[in-house]
């Protein structure tokens, strides 16, 4: 058991969340209420039955259930309600800044207009995230084609001011980063920030090609980098942040148990690692639950907590001034304890 002081420290410290799929924040209760509102029938009879189905063998077995859950999102208000619920929970966890992934293709493929998706998400960020900051990152689904990613980018460009970057998610193995080389090059020209999931289930080579071909600024997950010593040194030397999601890695069986997780090794290697929730409604907890479970499983200390809080803001896509403000909040918090 974690001592009470360290637990309170983890919960109370200011932090940024940089790896949260907003569709992965849909709690079963909200899935059922949106299904009722939109007259959609679900495969499970009750909230309890749905939650009971959340046992995954790997990434794909999770994605199948995650996309089914997202099918209840039809109207702008649905996207607003989902995002508002996440932001309230984030605030309760002392998240001062959130960079929120969304998967527009999951919705536009079902006939939902892109404008409804982005307007709902953006309105919630502006209305609910008033005493924190929040930005959106549009993710391309890597199991779809690059041509479809280009079409999505075209639909998104009228709303260019409402998102800060693009990412790459969904089924990793068999869909290497270089499949999206041209669309990422275009996004770079447009001045968008670039990130990609790599080295979650996929090999360290995917992390290298995400860096070399896609020119990403951060790697989402990236935990398999430690299989390659030269890559590990490169990530540390170039200060390429990793957005690590411990409970996700546990639930998707990237690590057998949390005590096997390599987060501490990543930090010891000098990598700018951060802790995030990925899909909190599916993986058993929001960001503070990820911190507490990881610190319970590994011999991490208050010094690591401070490093992780600092890393989260160092890795964020924030103006120099706002980054400095948040980093000072971290310093003040730790100076006061
Ligand atoms: N989409 C939502 N969660 C994901 C994850 N952990 N990996 C890849 N794609 C995702
Ligand atoms: Zn993810």
């Amino acid at each position: 058991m974690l001592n009470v002081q360290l637990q309170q420290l983890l919960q109370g410290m200011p932090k940024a969340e940089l790896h949260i799929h907003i569709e992965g924040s849909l709690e079963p209760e909200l899935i059922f209420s949106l299904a009722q509102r939109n007259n959609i029938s679900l495969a499970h009879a009750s909230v309890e039955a749905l939650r009971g189905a959340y046992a995954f063998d790997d990434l794909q077995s999770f994605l199948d259930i995650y996309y089914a859950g997202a099918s209840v999102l039809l109207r702008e208000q649905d996207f607003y309600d989902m995002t508002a619920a996440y932001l309230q929970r984030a605030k309760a966890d002392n998240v001062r800044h959130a960079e929120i992934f969304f998967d527009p293709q999951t919705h536009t493929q079902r006939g939902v207009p892109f404008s409804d998706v982005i307007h709902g998400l953006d309105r919630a960020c502006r209305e609910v995230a008033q005493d924190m900051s929040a930005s959106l990152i549009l993710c391309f689904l890597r199991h779809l084609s690059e041509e479809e990613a280009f079409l999505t980018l075209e639909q998104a460009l009228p709303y260019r001011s409402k998102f800060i970057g693009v990412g790459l998610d969904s089924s990793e193995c068999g869909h290497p980063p270089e499949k999206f080389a041209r669309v990422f090059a275009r996004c770079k020209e447009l001045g968008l920030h670039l990130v990609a999931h790599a080295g979650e289930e996929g090999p360290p080579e995917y992390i290298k090609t995400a860096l070399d071909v896609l020119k990403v600024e951060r790697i989402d997950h990236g935990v398999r980098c430690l299989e390659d010593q030269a890559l590990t040194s490169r990530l540390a030397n170039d200060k390429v942040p990793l957005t690590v999601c411990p409970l996700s890695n546990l639930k998707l069986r990237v690590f057998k148990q949390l005590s096997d997780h390599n987060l501490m090794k990543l930090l010891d290697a000098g990598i700018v690692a951060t802790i995030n929730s990925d899909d909190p409604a599916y993986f058993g907890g929001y960001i503070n639950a990820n911190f507490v479970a990881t610190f319970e499983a590994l011999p991490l200390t208050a010094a690591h907590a401070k490093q992780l809080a600092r890393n989260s803001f160092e890795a964020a896509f924030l103006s120099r001034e706002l980054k400095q403000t948040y980093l000072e909040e971290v310093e003040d918090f730790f100076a006061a304890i």
Side-chain angles (χ1 to χ4, degrees):
M1 258 303 277
L2 210 54
N3 75 56
V4 177
Q5 247 183 340
L6 187 52
Q7 192 163 331
Q8 284 174 349
L9 184 94
L10 296 170
Q11 288 164 343
M13 70 184 188
K15 54 186 76 73
E17 175 147 61
L18 307 176
H19 186 160
I20 156 81
H21 301 263
I22 198 63
E23 294 88 351
S25 74
L26 260 186
E27 293 287 343
E29 289 79 4
L30 189 53
I31 291 181
F32 269 79
S33 81
L34 293 177
Q36 192 172 32
R37 183 155 102 187
N38 291 329
N39 253 322
I40 290 171
S41 58
L42 294 168
H44 295 89
S46 65
V47 164
E48 293 68 35
L50 178 57
R51 198 168 259 128
Y54 292 177
F56 313 112
D57 299 323
D58 55 14
L59 175 58
Q60 192 58 52
S61 64
F62 155 68
L63 289 171
D64 294 341
I65 287 188
Y66 162 83
Y67 293 128
S71 70
V72 299
L73 297 158
L74 281 190
R75 304 189 201 292
E76 197 241 294
Q77 188 65 39
D78 305 338
F79 292 92
Y80 176 93
D81 291 345
M82 168 175 66
T83 310
Y86 164 69
L87 288 167
Q88 299 289 10
R89 287 190 182 254
K91 271 196 238 186
D93 279 359
N94 293 303
V95 171
R96 303 289 292 115
H97 174 69
E99 295 180 7
I100 301 173
F101 293 143
F102 68 111
D103 285 344
Q105 289 161 299
T106 301
H107 316 300
T108 52
Q109 281 200 326
R110 297 180 289 111
V112 178
F114 184 94
S115 56
D116 288 352
V117 178
I118 192 102
H119 281 140
L121 301 178
D122 174 63
R123 187 161 63 85
C125 287
R126 281 184 290 106
E127 287 179 13
V128 184
Q130 275 180 0
D131 44 1
M132 60 180 280
S133 46
S135 315
L136 298 172
I137 296 180
L138 182 163
C139 284
F140 299 119
L141 299 180
R142 69 203 303 159
H143 67 272
L144 301 179
S145 68
E146 187 179 44
E147 199 181 345
E148 286 164 296
F150 265 116
L151 286 173
T152 301
L153 179 61
E154 219 164 275
Q155 290 174 325
L157 283 184
Y159 310 96
R160 167 69 184 86
S161 64
K162 298 194 184 299
F163 60 100
I164 59 162
V166 297
L168 189 62
D169 66 2
S170 192
S171 324
E172 185 182 7
C173 292
H175 301 284
E178 57 268 30
K179 180 176 163 188
F180 295 89
R182 289 168 309 160
V183 75
F184 267 68
R186 179 73 191 119
C187 290
K188 190 171 167 62
E189 278 174 6
L190 290 164
L192 287 156
H193 285 294
L194 308 176
V195 299
H197 283 53
E200 176 186 15
E201 282 189 345
E205 285 68 38
Y206 283 21
I207 300 174
K208 279 190 244 177
T209 47
L211 294 171
D212 293 335
V213 181
L214 301 188
K215 312 281 185 204
V216 300
E217 299 156 81
R218 286 197 307 243
I219 297 287
D220 297 312
H221 294 294
V223 290
R224 289 194 58 191
C225 71
L226 290 186
E227 294 169 33
D228 181 328
Q229 181 53 52
L231 177 62
T232 303
S233 305
R234 175 182 178 186
L235 293 170
N237 291 335
D238 294 351
K239 296 189 167 33
V240 179
L242 300 188
T243 62
V244 177
C245 307
L247 286 176
S248 164
N249 293 154
L250 178 68
K251 293 294 156 84
L252 301 187
R253 306 194 187 192
V254 173
F255 296 96
K256 247 202 192 124
Q257 45 199 8
L258 221 41
S259 54
D260 294 335
H261 201 286
N262 65 9
L263 179 85
M264 190 153 157
K265 293 194 185 88
L266 295 169
L267 291 170
D268 286 346
I271 288 176
V272 184
T274 64
I275 286 187
N276 306 268
S277 69
D278 206 7
D279 300 285
Y282 292 90
F283 298 148
Y286 287 75
I287 190 166
N288 280 0
N290 273 270
F291 270 100
V292 169
T294 308
F295 275 66
E296 268 175 353
L298 300 172
L300 292 158
T301 64
H304 291 107
K306 183 176 176 189
Q307 186 68 56
L308 286 160
R310 286 191 61 88
N311 286 355
S312 73
F313 294 112
E314 295 283 9
F317 298 135
L318 285 167
S319 68
R320 192 189 296 263
E321 296 74 29
L322 197 48
K323 191 174 285 204
Q324 200 49 43
T325 302
Y326 287 140
L327 285 168
E328 279 165 22
E329 276 187 33
V330 174
E331 290 303 320
D332 292 348
F333 178 86
F334 280 90
I337 53 153

